[in-house]
Amino acid sequence: MTTTHKEHVSHEHRHGPGCGHTEVPHGDHVDYAHDGHLHREHGDHWDECERAGHTAHTGHEHRHGEGCGHQGVRHGDHVDYLHDGHRHAAHEGHWDDH
């Protein structure tokens, strides 16, 4: 999994269990949904955790949405849905892994 490295500057809040932000399992770490983006701890600072590129989730018949049983997480201008340890986002008739 390739992610971009973009430091989130001026972020004094310490994320962790019970911090009030949604925990999002993401590969080998946990992201925290905060203000429409995802933060991950990286050394002594927090990064925006975003995938590089476009990864379609093939063979995904389930339609995410209100009441689908998966937690929605605001991500920029859309909602991702937590599903099987990754995030799904609607994209041009299919679902992307975020």
Side-chain angles (χ1 to χ4, degrees):
M1 165 189 333
T2 303
T3 56
T4 60
H5 179 225
K6 178 181 175 189
E7 186 173 342
H8 186 84
V9 295
S10 301
H11 189 75
E12 296 176 15
H13 175 74
R14 294 289 302 172
H15 293 292
C19 76
H21 296 105
T22 302
E23 292 184 10
V24 180
H26 191 200
D28 64 352
H29 63 277
V30 174
D31 294 332
Y32 292 88
H34 187 172
D35 295 336
H37 45 240
L38 298 170
H39 295 168
R40 76 172 285 183
E41 192 167 18
H42 183 232
D44 63 351
H45 63 275
W46 293 89
D47 284 347
E48 304 284 339
C49 191
E50 302 297 335
R51 271 190 188 268
H54 173 250
T55 305
H57 186 91
T58 57
H60 187 70
E61 302 299 323
H62 176 73
R63 298 291 302 171
H64 293 293
E66 188 83 23
C68 75
H70 297 104
Q71 184 176 3
V73 176
R74 170 75 35 208
H75 184 209
D77 63 355
H78 63 277
V79 175
D80 290 344
Y81 291 90
L82 305 182
H83 188 159
D84 295 336
H86 47 193
R87 297 176 290 137
H88 289 169
H91 182 247
E92 299 178 356
H94 64 271
W95 295 95
D96 283 351
D97 278 331
H98 270 194

